[in-house]
Amino acid sequence: MRILGIETSCDETSAAVIEETGDQAKPWAIRSNVVASQVAIHREWGGVVPELASRQHLRDICGVVDRALVDAESTWTDLGAVAVTQGPGLVGSLLVGVSFAKAAAAAAGLPLVAVHHLAGHIESLVLQNGELPLPSIVLVVSGGHTSLYLVEQPGSYQLLSRTRDDAAGEAYDKVAKLLGLGYPGGPVLDRLAAIGNDRAVALPTTRLTHADRNAPELKGDLDFSFSGLKTAVLRHVRAHPPSPEGSGAAGALTDTERADIAASFQRVVVTVLIERLFEAARRHGAKSVGVAGGVSANSRLRAELQERGRRREIPTFLPSLALSTDNAAMIAAAGLRRFRAGHTASLDLNADAALTLA
Ligand code: KG4
Ligand code: ZN
């Protein structure tokens, strides 16, 4: 069976066709995965403007779906279902995908499947690597989320912890802005960090407390927090001694100083993410760990995950770079999983900006 996936939760309009392989170990194959990015539109504003995003989704959705079908050498009659991101995300953006999917499902006489965006990120790991050894701990780390999930059975996702304030990707974007690196900041900061000294700037890291160590059943110490780190970078930049030609703002930083801040920030973020992930894996006796979501494209995070996995002798999984950031192939995968578990949505499905993952 082939399924069409549609993703419009933020600033990427995406459609994809995946199909079942019949191989239990690697259940799905990608036939097409088309992503129309709105980065150029939002760059001018330094971040995603929701109204502009939804209008652009509306312009792009028909062409993107057509292209996904052509690339997949499929027609509507080759499909067995339509899967769409129901939430969470920007409500105006979600509505474009949900409305399109409902209309398409009704017109083509296909079942509709509602997908949680984070289930999509988690299933990107299976789409890329095949079924994970379970139980698995998956870190979903993106512009909107930083959460640890326990996956005990295929398709079951149990939330273990989450960020108490900013998401890691959000922290990347804010710090990048502070350093004058433009939008979107994550990838630029990642590249700059590669040439900086990661010990140059002392930045705070949230640590496990003594009390938490004595009460490992409490999940609180697996939570994340990035707003303090972002503020520390801000203070460091502000306290920077004014250079003769500068004012002490980010503009006065030399390229070396900027790279050092980027590298120091990246070291702290990646260390915290990896520590919590492996601590959760230890507590739950996990047989594998995975990292998914936009920030899983980060070069240091990918390298440290693989290195830690080798040392701990636990298999580690990542999506390809194309499957790390928002895309519809992962939504199609999560949709196919749900469809096979017997879940379909009715045509009165509504977008839900704050949808929770049960
Ligand atoms: O999953 P995603 O495409 O969208 C959301 O669901 O949020 O994630 C986007 C986030 C952005 O914050 C972006 O800056 C971050 O992922 N990101 C990165 C990298 N590539 C994308 N952060 C750090 N390093 C990267 N290489
Ligand atoms: Zn995402």
Side-chain angles (χ1 to χ4, degrees), residues 59-128:
R59 286 186 198 106
D60 287 341
I61 186 78
C62 292
V64 165
V65 171
D66 270 344
R67 182 60 191 267
L69 290 173
V70 168
D71 285 2
E73 294 174 355
S74 299
T75 62
W76 289 100
T77 53
D78 297 323
L79 301 175
V82 177
V84 64
T85 307
Q86 184 191 3
L90 303 170
V91 74
S93 294
L94 289 165
L95 276 169
V96 176
V98 168
S99 308
F100 184 97
K102 289 199 291 187
L110 293 169
L112 179 69
V113 186
V115 174
H116 190 286
H117 183 77
L118 297 193
H121 277 303
I122 293 170
E123 296 300 345
S124 75
L125 292 166
V126 178
L127 187 56
Q128 175 74 33

Short mmCIF file of all heavy atoms in Angstrom, two decimals, residues 59-128:
data_model
loop_
_atom_site.label_atom_id
_atom_site.label_comp_id
_atom_site.label_asym_id
_atom_site.label_seq_id
_atom_site.Cartn_x
_atom_site.Cartn_y
_atom_site.Cartn_z
N ARG A 59 -0.66 28.92 -1.31
CA ARG A 59 -0.15 29.05 -2.68
C ARG A 59 0.55 27.77 -3.13
O ARG A 59 0.47 27.39 -4.29
CB ARG A 59 0.87 30.19 -2.77
CG ARG A 59 0.24 31.56 -2.71
CD ARG A 59 1.28 32.66 -2.96
NE ARG A 59 0.74 33.90 -2.48
CZ ARG A 59 1.10 34.52 -1.36
NH1 ARG A 59 2.08 34.02 -0.62
NH2 ARG A 59 0.51 35.62 -0.97
N ASP A 60 1.24 27.13 -2.22
CA ASP A 60 2.14 26.03 -2.61
C ASP A 60 1.52 24.64 -2.57
O ASP A 60 2.02 23.72 -3.24
CB ASP A 60 3.38 26.01 -1.70
CG ASP A 60 4.34 27.15 -2.02
OD1 ASP A 60 4.23 27.71 -3.13
OD2 ASP A 60 5.17 27.50 -1.16
N ILE A 61 0.47 24.45 -1.78
CA ILE A 61 0.04 23.09 -1.46
C ILE A 61 -0.32 22.26 -2.70
O ILE A 61 0.10 21.10 -2.82
CB ILE A 61 -1.10 23.09 -0.39
CG1 ILE A 61 -1.43 21.68 0.06
CG2 ILE A 61 -2.36 23.78 -0.88
CD1 ILE A 61 -0.47 21.09 1.03
N CYS A 62 -1.06 22.83 -3.64
CA CYS A 62 -1.49 22.03 -4.80
C CYS A 62 -0.29 21.58 -5.62
O CYS A 62 -0.18 20.41 -5.99
CB CYS A 62 -2.47 22.83 -5.67
SG CYS A 62 -4.06 23.11 -4.86
N GLY A 63 0.60 22.50 -5.89
CA GLY A 63 1.79 22.17 -6.69
C GLY A 63 2.68 21.16 -6.00
O GLY A 63 3.23 20.26 -6.64
N VAL A 64 2.82 21.29 -4.69
CA VAL A 64 3.70 20.38 -3.93
C VAL A 64 3.13 18.97 -3.94
O VAL A 64 3.86 17.98 -4.15
CB VAL A 64 3.91 20.91 -2.49
CG1 VAL A 64 4.49 19.83 -1.59
CG2 VAL A 64 4.82 22.14 -2.50
N VAL A 65 1.79 18.85 -3.77
CA VAL A 65 1.17 17.51 -3.79
C VAL A 65 1.28 16.90 -5.18
O VAL A 65 1.65 15.73 -5.34
CB VAL A 65 -0.29 17.58 -3.31
CG1 VAL A 65 -1.00 16.24 -3.55
CG2 VAL A 65 -0.36 17.95 -1.83
N ASP A 66 0.98 17.70 -6.21
CA ASP A 66 1.11 17.21 -7.59
C ASP A 66 2.51 16.66 -7.84
O ASP A 66 2.69 15.59 -8.40
CB ASP A 66 0.86 18.35 -8.59
CG ASP A 66 -0.62 18.44 -8.97
OD1 ASP A 66 -1.35 17.47 -8.71
OD2 ASP A 66 -1.02 19.50 -9.51
N ARG A 67 3.49 17.44 -7.42
CA ARG A 67 4.88 17.06 -7.64
C ARG A 67 5.23 15.77 -6.90
O ARG A 67 5.93 14.90 -7.42
CB ARG A 67 5.78 18.22 -7.19
CG ARG A 67 7.24 18.00 -7.39
CD ARG A 67 7.55 17.76 -8.87
NE ARG A 67 8.91 17.29 -9.01
CZ ARG A 67 9.96 18.09 -9.24
NH1 ARG A 67 9.77 19.37 -9.38
NH2 ARG A 67 11.17 17.59 -9.31
N ALA A 68 4.70 15.63 -5.68
CA ALA A 68 4.97 14.41 -4.89
C ALA A 68 4.39 13.19 -5.60
O ALA A 68 5.01 12.12 -5.62
CB ALA A 68 4.40 14.54 -3.49
N LEU A 69 3.21 13.34 -6.20
CA LEU A 69 2.60 12.21 -6.92
C LEU A 69 3.40 11.89 -8.17
O LEU A 69 3.67 10.71 -8.47
CB LEU A 69 1.14 12.54 -7.27
CG LEU A 69 0.17 12.58 -6.07
CD1 LEU A 69 -1.21 13.09 -6.51
CD2 LEU A 69 0.03 11.19 -5.45
N VAL A 70 3.80 12.92 -8.90
CA VAL A 70 4.58 12.69 -10.14
C VAL A 70 5.91 12.02 -9.80
O VAL A 70 6.28 11.01 -10.41
CB VAL A 70 4.81 14.03 -10.88
CG1 VAL A 70 5.85 13.87 -11.99
CG2 VAL A 70 3.49 14.56 -11.43
N ASP A 71 6.62 12.56 -8.80
CA ASP A 71 7.91 11.98 -8.41
C ASP A 71 7.76 10.52 -7.98
O ASP A 71 8.67 9.71 -8.17
CB ASP A 71 8.54 12.76 -7.24
CG ASP A 71 9.13 14.09 -7.69
OD1 ASP A 71 9.02 14.41 -8.89
OD2 ASP A 71 9.70 14.81 -6.84
N ALA A 72 6.61 10.20 -7.38
CA ALA A 72 6.38 8.84 -6.89
C ALA A 72 5.85 7.92 -7.98
O ALA A 72 5.61 6.73 -7.73
CB ALA A 72 5.39 8.87 -5.72
N GLU A 73 5.67 8.49 -9.17
CA GLU A 73 5.05 7.75 -10.28
C GLU A 73 3.75 7.11 -9.81
O GLU A 73 3.49 5.93 -10.02
CB GLU A 73 6.03 6.71 -10.85
CG GLU A 73 7.24 7.37 -11.49
CD GLU A 73 8.31 6.38 -11.95
OE1 GLU A 73 8.15 5.18 -11.68
OE2 GLU A 73 9.27 6.84 -12.57
N SER A 74 2.95 7.95 -9.14
CA SER A 74 1.68 7.48 -8.59
C SER A 74 0.55 8.40 -9.03
O SER A 74 0.77 9.58 -9.32
CB SER A 74 1.72 7.51 -7.06
OG SER A 74 2.71 6.66 -6.56
N THR A 75 -0.65 7.85 -9.05
CA THR A 75 -1.85 8.67 -9.22
C THR A 75 -2.70 8.48 -7.97
O THR A 75 -2.38 7.63 -7.12
CB THR A 75 -2.66 8.22 -10.45
OG1 THR A 75 -3.07 6.87 -10.23
CG2 THR A 75 -1.83 8.32 -11.72
N TRP A 76 -3.78 9.23 -7.86
CA TRP A 76 -4.64 9.13 -6.68
C TRP A 76 -5.15 7.69 -6.49
O TRP A 76 -5.32 7.23 -5.37
CB TRP A 76 -5.83 10.09 -6.78
CG TRP A 76 -5.40 11.52 -6.62
CD1 TRP A 76 -5.20 12.43 -7.61
CD2 TRP A 76 -5.08 12.19 -5.39
NE1 TRP A 76 -4.77 13.62 -7.08
CE2 TRP A 76 -4.70 13.50 -5.72
CE3 TRP A 76 -5.09 11.81 -4.05
CZ2 TRP A 76 -4.34 14.44 -4.76
CZ3 TRP A 76 -4.72 12.74 -3.09
CH2 TRP A 76 -4.35 14.04 -3.45
N THR A 77 -5.37 6.99 -7.61
CA THR A 77 -5.92 5.63 -7.50
C THR A 77 -4.90 4.62 -6.98
O THR A 77 -5.26 3.52 -6.59
CB THR A 77 -6.45 5.14 -8.88
OG1 THR A 77 -5.41 5.30 -9.84
CG2 THR A 77 -7.67 5.92 -9.31
N ASP A 78 -3.60 5.00 -6.97
CA ASP A 78 -2.58 4.09 -6.42
C ASP A 78 -2.49 4.20 -4.90
O ASP A 78 -1.77 3.41 -4.26
CB ASP A 78 -1.18 4.44 -6.98
CG ASP A 78 -1.12 4.26 -8.48
OD1 ASP A 78 -1.75 3.31 -8.98
OD2 ASP A 78 -0.45 5.08 -9.15
N LEU A 79 -3.18 5.20 -4.33
CA LEU A 79 -3.02 5.45 -2.89
C LEU A 79 -4.04 4.68 -2.07
O LEU A 79 -5.15 4.41 -2.53
CB LEU A 79 -3.18 6.94 -2.59
CG LEU A 79 -2.21 7.90 -3.31
CD1 LEU A 79 -2.59 9.34 -3.01
CD2 LEU A 79 -0.76 7.62 -2.89
N GLY A 80 -3.63 4.35 -0.82
CA GLY A 80 -4.55 3.66 0.09
C GLY A 80 -5.07 4.56 1.19
O GLY A 80 -6.02 4.21 1.89
N ALA A 81 -4.43 5.73 1.40
CA ALA A 81 -4.86 6.65 2.46
C ALA A 81 -4.13 7.98 2.30
O ALA A 81 -3.14 8.08 1.58
CB ALA A 81 -4.56 6.05 3.84
N VAL A 82 -4.67 8.99 3.01
CA VAL A 82 -4.02 10.31 3.07
C VAL A 82 -3.76 10.62 4.54
O VAL A 82 -4.68 10.57 5.36
CB VAL A 82 -4.93 11.41 2.46
CG1 VAL A 82 -4.26 12.78 2.60
CG2 VAL A 82 -5.25 11.12 1.01
N ALA A 83 -2.50 10.91 4.87
CA ALA A 83 -2.14 11.26 6.26
C ALA A 83 -1.76 12.74 6.31
O ALA A 83 -1.13 13.25 5.39
CB ALA A 83 -0.96 10.42 6.72
N VAL A 84 -2.16 13.39 7.40
CA VAL A 84 -1.86 14.82 7.52
C VAL A 84 -1.50 15.18 8.95
O VAL A 84 -2.03 14.59 9.90
CB VAL A 84 -3.07 15.67 7.03
CG1 VAL A 84 -4.30 15.47 7.90
CG2 VAL A 84 -2.70 17.15 6.95
N THR A 85 -0.60 16.16 9.11
CA THR A 85 -0.27 16.67 10.43
C THR A 85 -1.46 17.46 10.98
O THR A 85 -1.85 18.47 10.41
CB THR A 85 0.95 17.62 10.37
OG1 THR A 85 2.02 16.95 9.70
CG2 THR A 85 1.37 18.05 11.76
N GLN A 86 -2.00 16.97 12.11
CA GLN A 86 -3.13 17.67 12.74
C GLN A 86 -2.63 18.74 13.71
O GLN A 86 -3.29 19.73 13.96
CB GLN A 86 -3.99 16.65 13.49
CG GLN A 86 -5.25 17.27 14.09
CD GLN A 86 -5.97 16.33 15.06
OE1 GLN A 86 -5.49 15.23 15.33
NE2 GLN A 86 -7.10 16.77 15.56
N GLY A 87 -1.45 18.56 14.29
CA GLY A 87 -0.87 19.50 15.24
C GLY A 87 0.31 18.80 15.89
O GLY A 87 0.61 17.66 15.56
N PRO A 88 1.04 19.46 16.80
CA PRO A 88 0.92 20.87 17.11
C PRO A 88 1.63 21.72 16.06
O PRO A 88 2.37 21.19 15.25
CB PRO A 88 1.62 20.97 18.47
CG PRO A 88 2.62 19.85 18.46
CD PRO A 88 2.02 18.76 17.62
N GLY A 89 1.41 23.03 16.12
CA GLY A 89 2.03 23.94 15.16
C GLY A 89 1.25 25.24 15.10
O GLY A 89 0.45 25.53 15.97
N LEU A 90 1.48 25.98 14.03
CA LEU A 90 0.77 27.24 13.82
C LEU A 90 -0.61 26.91 13.26
O LEU A 90 -0.71 26.22 12.24
CB LEU A 90 1.53 28.12 12.82
CG LEU A 90 2.97 28.44 13.20
CD1 LEU A 90 3.70 29.11 12.02
CD2 LEU A 90 3.01 29.35 14.43
N VAL A 91 -1.65 27.42 13.90
CA VAL A 91 -2.98 26.94 13.54
C VAL A 91 -3.36 27.28 12.09
O VAL A 91 -3.93 26.46 11.38
CB VAL A 91 -4.06 27.38 14.55
CG1 VAL A 91 -4.39 28.86 14.42
CG2 VAL A 91 -5.31 26.52 14.39
N GLY A 92 -2.99 28.49 11.65
CA GLY A 92 -3.32 28.87 10.28
C GLY A 92 -2.62 27.99 9.26
O GLY A 92 -3.17 27.63 8.22
N SER A 93 -1.39 27.61 9.57
CA SER A 93 -0.61 26.74 8.69
C SER A 93 -1.17 25.32 8.69
O SER A 93 -1.37 24.71 7.64
CB SER A 93 0.85 26.71 9.14
OG SER A 93 1.43 27.98 8.95
N LEU A 94 -1.46 24.81 9.89
CA LEU A 94 -2.03 23.46 10.00
C LEU A 94 -3.34 23.35 9.22
O LEU A 94 -3.60 22.34 8.57
CB LEU A 94 -2.31 23.14 11.48
CG LEU A 94 -1.08 22.91 12.37
CD1 LEU A 94 -1.49 22.98 13.84
CD2 LEU A 94 -0.44 21.55 12.07
N LEU A 95 -4.15 24.42 9.30
CA LEU A 95 -5.47 24.38 8.65
C LEU A 95 -5.36 24.17 7.14
O LEU A 95 -6.22 23.51 6.54
CB LEU A 95 -6.23 25.69 8.93
CG LEU A 95 -6.98 25.72 10.26
CD1 LEU A 95 -7.46 27.13 10.57
CD2 LEU A 95 -8.15 24.74 10.25
N VAL A 96 -4.31 24.69 6.53
CA VAL A 96 -4.16 24.52 5.08
C VAL A 96 -3.96 23.04 4.75
O VAL A 96 -4.64 22.49 3.87
CB VAL A 96 -2.97 25.36 4.54
CG1 VAL A 96 -2.76 25.10 3.05
CG2 VAL A 96 -3.22 26.85 4.79
N GLY A 97 -3.07 22.39 5.48
CA GLY A 97 -2.82 20.96 5.23
C GLY A 97 -4.04 20.11 5.55
O GLY A 97 -4.41 19.21 4.78
N VAL A 98 -4.66 20.39 6.70
CA VAL A 98 -5.82 19.60 7.13
C VAL A 98 -6.97 19.76 6.14
O VAL A 98 -7.61 18.78 5.74
CB VAL A 98 -6.23 19.98 8.58
CG1 VAL A 98 -7.60 19.39 8.94
CG2 VAL A 98 -5.18 19.49 9.57
N SER A 99 -7.23 20.99 5.72
CA SER A 99 -8.34 21.23 4.77
C SER A 99 -8.06 20.54 3.45
O SER A 99 -8.94 19.92 2.85
CB SER A 99 -8.54 22.73 4.53
OG SER A 99 -8.67 23.39 5.74
N PHE A 100 -6.82 20.66 2.99
CA PHE A 100 -6.46 20.02 1.72
C PHE A 100 -6.61 18.50 1.82
O PHE A 100 -7.19 17.86 0.94
CB PHE A 100 -5.02 20.38 1.31
CG PHE A 100 -4.66 19.82 -0.04
CD1 PHE A 100 -4.76 20.61 -1.18
CD2 PHE A 100 -4.26 18.49 -0.18
CE1 PHE A 100 -4.46 20.09 -2.43
CE2 PHE A 100 -3.96 17.97 -1.43
CZ PHE A 100 -4.06 18.76 -2.56
N ALA A 101 -6.11 17.94 2.91
CA ALA A 101 -6.15 16.47 3.07
C ALA A 101 -7.59 15.97 3.15
O ALA A 101 -7.92 14.93 2.56
CB ALA A 101 -5.37 16.07 4.33
N LYS A 102 -8.43 16.71 3.85
CA LYS A 102 -9.84 16.30 3.95
C LYS A 102 -10.50 16.33 2.58
O LYS A 102 -11.22 15.39 2.18
CB LYS A 102 -10.61 17.22 4.92
CG LYS A 102 -10.21 17.01 6.36
CD LYS A 102 -11.25 17.55 7.35
CE LYS A 102 -11.32 19.06 7.34
NZ LYS A 102 -12.20 19.54 8.43
N ALA A 103 -10.26 17.41 1.84
CA ALA A 103 -10.87 17.54 0.50
C ALA A 103 -10.36 16.44 -0.42
O ALA A 103 -11.14 15.82 -1.15
CB ALA A 103 -10.55 18.92 -0.08
N ALA A 104 -9.06 16.17 -0.36
CA ALA A 104 -8.48 15.16 -1.23
C ALA A 104 -9.01 13.77 -0.88
O ALA A 104 -9.35 12.97 -1.77
CB ALA A 104 -6.95 15.19 -1.11
N ALA A 105 -9.08 13.48 0.42
CA ALA A 105 -9.57 12.17 0.86
C ALA A 105 -11.02 11.98 0.42
O ALA A 105 -11.41 10.91 -0.07
CB ALA A 105 -9.43 12.04 2.37
N ALA A 106 -11.82 13.04 0.58
CA ALA A 106 -13.24 12.95 0.20
C ALA A 106 -13.37 12.75 -1.31
O ALA A 106 -14.12 11.89 -1.78
CB ALA A 106 -13.98 14.22 0.64
N ALA A 107 -12.61 13.54 -2.08
CA ALA A 107 -12.73 13.48 -3.53
C ALA A 107 -12.22 12.15 -4.09
O ALA A 107 -12.80 11.61 -5.04
CB ALA A 107 -11.95 14.65 -4.16
N ALA A 108 -11.15 11.63 -3.50
CA ALA A 108 -10.56 10.38 -4.02
C ALA A 108 -11.12 9.14 -3.34
O ALA A 108 -10.73 8.02 -3.68
CB ALA A 108 -9.03 10.43 -3.85
N GLY A 109 -12.00 9.36 -2.36
CA GLY A 109 -12.59 8.22 -1.65
C GLY A 109 -11.57 7.44 -0.83
O GLY A 109 -11.62 6.21 -0.75
N LEU A 110 -10.65 8.18 -0.20
CA LEU A 110 -9.58 7.53 0.57
C LEU A 110 -9.76 7.78 2.07
O LEU A 110 -10.27 8.83 2.47
CB LEU A 110 -8.22 8.10 0.15
CG LEU A 110 -7.77 7.78 -1.28
CD1 LEU A 110 -6.55 8.62 -1.65
CD2 LEU A 110 -7.44 6.29 -1.39
N PRO A 111 -9.32 6.84 2.91
CA PRO A 111 -9.35 7.10 4.35
C PRO A 111 -8.37 8.23 4.70
O PRO A 111 -7.32 8.38 4.06
CB PRO A 111 -8.90 5.78 4.98
CG PRO A 111 -8.61 4.83 3.88
CD PRO A 111 -8.80 5.51 2.57
N LEU A 112 -8.74 8.97 5.76
CA LEU A 112 -7.93 10.09 6.24
C LEU A 112 -7.28 9.67 7.56
O LEU A 112 -7.94 9.04 8.40
CB LEU A 112 -8.85 11.30 6.46
CG LEU A 112 -8.25 12.59 6.99
CD1 LEU A 112 -7.33 13.23 5.94
CD2 LEU A 112 -9.37 13.57 7.37
N VAL A 113 -6.01 10.00 7.74
CA VAL A 113 -5.33 9.66 8.99
C VAL A 113 -4.72 10.93 9.59
O VAL A 113 -4.00 11.65 8.90
CB VAL A 113 -4.19 8.62 8.76
CG1 VAL A 113 -3.60 8.17 10.08
CG2 VAL A 113 -4.72 7.42 7.97
N ALA A 114 -5.02 11.19 10.87
CA ALA A 114 -4.49 12.38 11.55
C ALA A 114 -3.20 12.00 12.26
O ALA A 114 -3.13 10.99 12.94
CB ALA A 114 -5.51 12.88 12.58
N VAL A 115 -2.17 12.83 12.09
CA VAL A 115 -0.84 12.52 12.64
C VAL A 115 -0.37 13.64 13.56
O VAL A 115 -0.53 14.82 13.25
CB VAL A 115 0.18 12.29 11.49
CG1 VAL A 115 1.59 12.12 12.03
CG2 VAL A 115 -0.22 11.08 10.65
N HIS A 116 0.24 13.23 14.68
CA HIS A 116 0.90 14.20 15.57
C HIS A 116 2.28 14.48 14.99
O HIS A 116 3.03 13.55 14.65
CB HIS A 116 1.01 13.60 16.97
CG HIS A 116 1.45 14.58 18.02
ND1 HIS A 116 2.75 15.02 18.11
CD2 HIS A 116 0.76 15.21 19.00
CE1 HIS A 116 2.85 15.89 19.11
NE2 HIS A 116 1.65 16.02 19.67
N HIS A 117 2.64 15.76 14.91
CA HIS A 117 3.91 16.14 14.28
C HIS A 117 5.12 15.42 14.92
O HIS A 117 6.04 14.99 14.22
CB HIS A 117 4.07 17.67 14.39
CG HIS A 117 5.30 18.19 13.73
ND1 HIS A 117 5.41 18.34 12.36
CD2 HIS A 117 6.49 18.61 14.24
CE1 HIS A 117 6.61 18.82 12.06
NE2 HIS A 117 7.29 18.99 13.18
N LEU A 118 5.10 15.28 16.24
CA LEU A 118 6.25 14.64 16.90
C LEU A 118 6.29 13.13 16.68
O LEU A 118 7.36 12.53 16.65
CB LEU A 118 6.26 14.96 18.40
CG LEU A 118 6.43 16.43 18.78
CD1 LEU A 118 6.75 16.57 20.26
CD2 LEU A 118 7.49 17.14 17.95
N ALA A 119 5.12 12.52 16.49
CA ALA A 119 5.10 11.10 16.10
C ALA A 119 5.80 10.97 14.76
O ALA A 119 6.55 10.01 14.51
CB ALA A 119 3.67 10.58 16.03
N GLY A 120 5.59 11.95 13.89
CA GLY A 120 6.28 11.96 12.60
C GLY A 120 7.79 12.01 12.79
O GLY A 120 8.53 11.21 12.20
N HIS A 121 8.26 12.93 13.65
CA HIS A 121 9.72 13.00 13.88
C HIS A 121 10.24 11.67 14.43
O HIS A 121 11.29 11.19 14.01
CB HIS A 121 10.06 14.14 14.85
CG HIS A 121 10.15 15.49 14.17
ND1 HIS A 121 11.01 15.73 13.12
CD2 HIS A 121 9.50 16.66 14.39
CE1 HIS A 121 10.89 16.99 12.73
NE2 HIS A 121 9.97 17.58 13.48
N ILE A 122 9.51 11.06 15.36
CA ILE A 122 9.97 9.79 15.94
C ILE A 122 10.02 8.71 14.85
O ILE A 122 11.00 7.96 14.73
CB ILE A 122 9.06 9.36 17.11
CG1 ILE A 122 9.20 10.34 18.29
CG2 ILE A 122 9.40 7.92 17.57
CD1 ILE A 122 8.19 10.16 19.41
N GLU A 123 8.99 8.66 14.01
CA GLU A 123 8.96 7.62 12.97
C GLU A 123 9.96 7.89 11.85
O GLU A 123 10.26 6.99 11.05
CB GLU A 123 7.55 7.45 12.41
CG GLU A 123 6.52 6.96 13.44
CD GLU A 123 6.85 5.59 14.06
OE1 GLU A 123 7.71 4.87 13.53
OE2 GLU A 123 6.23 5.26 15.10
N SER A 124 10.50 9.11 11.78
CA SER A 124 11.55 9.37 10.78
C SER A 124 12.74 8.44 11.04
O SER A 124 13.47 8.06 10.12
CB SER A 124 12.01 10.84 10.82
OG SER A 124 12.82 11.11 11.96
N LEU A 125 12.92 8.06 12.30
CA LEU A 125 14.01 7.15 12.66
C LEU A 125 13.79 5.76 12.06
O LEU A 125 14.73 5.10 11.61
CB LEU A 125 14.13 7.04 14.19
CG LEU A 125 14.61 8.32 14.88
CD1 LEU A 125 14.37 8.24 16.37
CD2 LEU A 125 16.09 8.55 14.59
N VAL A 126 12.53 5.31 12.08
CA VAL A 126 12.21 3.98 11.54
C VAL A 126 12.23 4.02 10.01
O VAL A 126 12.71 3.10 9.35
CB VAL A 126 10.83 3.51 12.06
CG1 VAL A 126 10.47 2.16 11.47
CG2 VAL A 126 10.84 3.45 13.59
N LEU A 127 11.74 5.13 9.46
CA LEU A 127 11.75 5.30 8.01
C LEU A 127 13.19 5.20 7.49
O LEU A 127 13.46 4.59 6.46
CB LEU A 127 11.13 6.67 7.68
CG LEU A 127 10.88 7.01 6.22
CD1 LEU A 127 10.00 5.99 5.54
CD2 LEU A 127 10.22 8.40 6.13
N GLN A 128 14.11 5.80 8.23
CA GLN A 128 15.51 5.81 7.82
C GLN A 128 16.22 4.48 8.11
O GLN A 128 16.98 3.98 7.28
CB GLN A 128 16.24 6.94 8.57
CG GLN A 128 17.73 7.01 8.33
CD GLN A 128 18.03 7.57 6.96
OE1 GLN A 128 17.29 8.41 6.46
NE2 GLN A 128 19.10 7.11 6.34
#
